[in-house]
């Protein structure tokens, strides 16, 4: 049985999840956290890199949806509107309800759904509870404050395992599905 707090893999940034890579993992729906996964908390507009990444995935037939715990609907709406993708705000991760609801909107199933995010106790736990593939990323904010440093340090035991697994996967030494 998989650990509920261990992501499958840890990436430096979301752009590593290319369309080809996700297809290899049979992902048809990618649920994506917003804050510190795609953008800093105050950011309203996506970067060119994020735009290009979302375009690549959607053109390849992979559906992308933002699932954010952010309680500021105006900002999430503006950001996703700019990207032209749907979203669920105030998603309540790690609760399963709104994540499963999001999945059903696309007629997807847990086995072909993945969730990518920066936080173990919301994104990873939420994905695990729903039976989704779970990808974790390093936060875009880095460890820029004592608060962030402490918060991510507490997650290190789970992050380190997933980073090692990704390293082995990249080296062709293991396959994670
Ligand atoms: Mg986040």
């Amino acid at each position: 049985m998989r650990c509920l707090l261990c992501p499958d893999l840890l990436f430096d940034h979301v752009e590593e999840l290319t369309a080809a890579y996700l297809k290899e993992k049979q992902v048809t729906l990618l649920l994506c956290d917003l804050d510190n996964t795609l953008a800093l908390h105050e950011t309203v507009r996506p970067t060119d890199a994020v735009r290009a990444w979302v375009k690549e995935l959607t053109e390849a037939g992979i559906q992308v949806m933002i699932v954010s715990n952010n309680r500021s609907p105006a900002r999430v709406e503006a950001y996703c509107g700019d990207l032209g993708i749907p979203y669920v705000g105030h998603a309540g991760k790690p609760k399963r309800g709104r994540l499963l609801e999001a999945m059903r909107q696309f007629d997807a199933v847990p086995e072909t759904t993945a969730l990518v995010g920066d936080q173990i106790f919301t994104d990873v736990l939420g994905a695990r509870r729903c039976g989704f593939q779970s990808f974790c990323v390093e936060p875009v904010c880095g460890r820029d404050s004592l608060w962030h440093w402490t918060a991510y340090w507490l997650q290190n035991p789970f992050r380190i395992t997933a980073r090692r697994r990704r390293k082995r996967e990249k080296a062709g030494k293991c396959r994670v599905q």
Side-chain angles (χ1 to χ4, degrees):
M1 189 180 142
R2 285 174 167 170
C3 163
L4 283 174
L5 295 173
C6 291
D8 290 313
L9 297 154
L10 176 70
F11 300 85
D12 288 331
H13 44 76
V14 290
E15 290 88 352
E16 281 184 70
L17 296 163
T18 63
Y21 182 80
L22 290 172
K23 285 199 161 189
E24 197 181 304
K25 294 193 173 295
Q26 298 174 351
V27 173
T28 59
L29 171 62
L30 182 65
L31 301 177
C32 189
D33 172 53
L34 176 57
D35 293 320
N36 283 329
T37 295
L38 293 181
L40 295 171
H41 274 270
E42 65 274 15
T43 306
V44 178
R45 299 289 171 213
T47 61
D48 288 344
V50 168
R51 281 179 212 279
W53 176 67
V54 169
K55 187 166 180 278
E56 181 205 339
L57 299 195
T58 51
E59 283 182 355
I62 296 167
Q63 290 161 313
V64 183
M65 185 182 207
I66 302 290
V67 285
S68 174
N69 278 3
N70 196 303
R71 290 169 187 249
S72 163
R75 175 179 161 257
V76 179
E77 190 176 340
Y79 190 94
C80 297
D82 200 320
L83 279 176
I85 57 173
Y87 70 93
V88 173
H90 200 180
K93 296 171 287 182
K95 290 181 187 165
R96 299 190 310 162
R98 302 206 72 192
L99 294 176
L100 291 173
E101 206 177 281
M103 180 193 77
R104 289 188 200 108
Q105 278 184 44
F106 292 94
D107 290 326
V109 293
E111 292 76 16
T112 57
T113 301
L115 194 156
V116 58
D118 65 301
Q119 290 282 349
I120 298 290
F121 302 110
T122 53
D123 302 312
V124 173
L125 183 56
R128 281 280 178 254
R129 295 182 72 206
C130 292
F132 302 160
Q133 295 183 55
S134 171
F135 302 133
C136 197
V137 287
E138 292 295 351
V140 296
C141 65
R143 269 80 165 159
D144 59 349
S145 64
L146 183 59
W147 163 249
H148 279 141
W149 190 90
T150 308
Y152 291 109
W153 180 81
L154 289 170
Q155 301 175 15
N156 263 351
F158 310 107
R159 303 177 80 87
I160 287 168
T161 304
R163 175 166 288 289
R164 281 197 192 126
R165 212 179 283 138
R166 170 63 180 152
K167 209 172 162 185
R168 285 171 55 78
E169 183 187 63
K170 269 175 99 173
K173 291 180 182 167
C174 77
R175 179 176 161 76
V176 180
Q177 185 74 52

